[in-house]
Amino acid sequence: MNVRVALLFAIGCVVRGSAALAASQLSLAPSLAVSVAAHPAAMVAADLDRDGRADLVTVHPGTDALWIVRSQTGGGFAVAGPLRAGTEPSAVAVADVNGDRRPDIVVANAISNTVSVLLGRGDGTFDDPHDWPAGNSPRGVAVADFNGDDKPDVAVTNLFDDTVTVLLGAGDGMFTAGTTVPVTGGPLGLVSADLDRNGTADLVVAVDMDDAALVILMGAGDGTFVQGSRIAVGPLPTEPVVGTFDSDPIPDIAIAAQNADTVSVLIGHGDGTFAAPVQFETGAFPAALAAADLDGDGALDLISADSFADTISVLRGRGDGTFEARTALATDVMPVGVAAADLDRNRGADVVTANLFTGSVSVLLNQVAGPLPCIGDCDERGSVSVDELVRSVNIALGTLPVADCLAADPNADASVSISELVDAVNDALLGCRQ
């Protein structure tokens, strides 16, 4: 491995031109409507065909289907589908679950009580689904290595069981039953992140039936979890979002309360505990939430899909854990899903909503070129170490999952290419681009 790293250092010794100064403005173009199919209820953005442009997967519970929206060279979108999942798909994630460096789709199905896995072919098309049993009414899904074997596993929330089911991955797209974790209160959305930065994946679960709270599950590294904090966040919480909203690299959490028209932001302490939530106003009934640096100032912003207002709310982050008052931008009717990703390769994060009543996605292209990423900066500390380079190389070789260092995969295509490795080496040698 040291020989490979040395070789990459040699290849990567190409001095870049001077980087542009970071912008500090919000400039999203008026929304463009792209028709998909009836009643999209959830959505995820990822580079499905590995062309450097983010694509979309929309979820349609009423027809038990998924649709693919692929970003095209020169602009425009190509819509393909339907892809079959289980009965009433409710949540979707994209990850490489079989180690072939191609993005795969993982779906939680609320009526058939299953998890569907659709293996990707690398060109934006997918094999037929393979299903695994979950609990009663799975509503949220997350993919990460939960048992420390460097193979992606899957976790789903089960609304009517008050549990989280963990499926352990074999590394080839196959799964076996793992642990079942009790989470009282009606678990809905969830997200996985390393909250205490110990190298082990943890879970953040939104529950709604009792106290409308976040439940923290700390991963033990063997596929089991320890119950952590339970924090009230407001009625009918959305899927949580994890990011670094203040000046330190410690993960923070944001979550919208649909019946309160607010977003709660919880600043992390670095040990799996969090400061008391602070609320910021959104538009009416924020049904989904995303985070991205939309204005190029280096601070994460929050974007809510305000389903009763037919808008998104952009809350611009100040970089200290607080946010400016919302800017409202129009979408199609009743946005219920939102994602932020670079669809046109200008490095700026674009915003997309899934609109329930119009069977469409609204695309708001970002006119602000985003800052050049610090590729390979796994711990988000503003530099790339030799250890982080080794991790990036191992991901490229397929011996570590992409989740081990998401910063090594800036185009989010579930693999690390030679060009991405070269960029990581440049960032290690010359300092991260600004």
Side-chain angles (χ1 to χ4, degrees):
M1 184 56 63
N2 288 336
V3 173
R4 290 190 178 95
V5 172
L7 178 60
L8 287 169
F9 266 96
I11 294 172
C13 290
V14 179
V15 178
R16 291 183 290 256
S18 59
L21 293 175
S24 184
Q25 58 181 322
L26 181 64
S27 183
L28 293 174
S31 64
L32 166 71
V34 179
S35 295
V36 281
H39 309 308
M43 178 176 57
V44 67
D47 185 1
L48 303 177
D49 52 10
R50 301 183 296 178
D51 66 352
R53 297 173 179 83
D55 310 299
L56 308 172
V57 183
T58 59
V59 177
H60 303 259
T63 56
D64 302 336
L66 311 173
W67 285 75
I68 305 296
V69 182
R70 290 172 58 191
S71 304
Q72 300 293 287
T73 303
F77 300 89
V79 179
L83 303 180
R84 294 298 169 190
T87 307
E88 196 171 319
S90 58
V92 61
V94 172
D96 176 14
V97 300
N98 64 343
D100 65 357
R101 308 180 198 178
R102 299 170 180 173
D104 309 309
I105 298 175
V106 183
V107 188
N109 303 301
I111 297 298
S112 56
N113 299 331
T114 57
V115 174
S116 294
V117 175
L118 293 78
L119 297 179
R121 300 174 183 140
D123 59 358
T125 65
F126 295 84
D127 293 341
D128 291 336
H130 194 125
D131 294 339
W132 280 268
N136 193 349
S137 194
R139 298 302 179 99
V141 62
V143 181
D145 176 17
F146 298 123
N147 64 346
D149 64 355
D150 296 331
K151 299 171 183 175
D153 309 308
V154 173
V156 293
T157 54
N158 303 305
L159 177 63
F160 297 147
D161 280 348
D162 280 349
T163 61
V164 170
T165 294
V166 177
L167 300 174
L168 299 178
D172 57 0
M174 300 291 109
F175 293 86
T176 57
T179 56
T180 299
V181 186
V183 180
T184 59
L188 292 166
L190 84 164
V191 66
S192 177
D194 184 2
L195 301 177
D196 53 4
R197 301 193 298 162
N198 68 346
T200 299
D202 310 306
L203 289 171
V204 183
V205 183
V207 300
D208 186 54
M209 296 301 187
D210 294 328
D211 52 0
L214 283 177
V215 176
I216 308 299
L217 302 176
M218 303 303 297
D222 58 359
T224 65
F225 293 85
V226 176
Q227 298 277 345
S229 305
R230 189 181 189 97
I231 308 165
V233 291
L236 198 55
T238 62
E239 181 175 293
V241 171
V242 173
T244 51
F245 302 127
D246 56 5
S247 58
D248 62 42
I250 295 170
D252 310 310
I253 300 173
I255 188 167
Q258 297 174 77
N259 278 348
D261 302 339
T262 60
V263 169
S264 291
V265 176
L266 300 84
I267 300 301
H269 296 146
D271 58 358
T273 65
F274 295 83
V278 177
Q279 280 77 39
F280 301 90
E281 291 186 1
T282 68
F285 209 81
L289 190 66
D293 180 9
L294 298 181
D295 52 15
D297 65 355
L300 285 178
D301 310 307
L302 292 172
I303 310 105
S304 64
D306 306 324
S307 57
F308 287 1
D310 302 336
T311 62
I312 59 168
S313 289
V314 177
L315 286 69
R316 295 177 64 185
R318 300 188 177 106
D320 60 359
T322 66
F323 294 82
E324 297 180 8
R326 75 183 185 102
T327 299
L329 299 170
T331 67
D332 253 1
V333 181
M334 204 170 192
V336 293
V338 66
D342 184 7
L343 304 178
D344 54 6
R345 295 189 71 175
N346 77 335
R347 303 192 314 274
D350 309 305
V351 178
V352 187
T353 64
N355 308 306
L356 186 67
F357 278 3
T358 50
S360 67
V361 295
S362 292
V363 179
L364 293 84
L365 293 176
N366 198 340
Q367 308 303 300
V368 177
L372 290 165
C374 185
I375 299 174
D377 180 18
C378 308
D379 59 11
E380 299 181 354
R381 295 183 179 181
S383 63
V384 180
S385 67
V386 171
D387 175 69
E388 288 171 324
L389 280 178
V390 171
R391 288 163 69 181
S392 296
V393 171
N394 277 314
I395 294 169
L397 294 173
T399 59
L400 285 180
V402 175
D404 197 67
C405 183
L406 293 176
D409 179 28
N411 67 353
D413 68 349
S415 66
V416 173
S417 66
I418 292 296
S419 63
E420 288 169 331
L421 285 176
V422 169
D423 284 340
V425 171
N426 273 322
D427 282 344
L429 290 174
L430 307 174
C432 291
R433 295 164 283 188
Q434 302 298 319

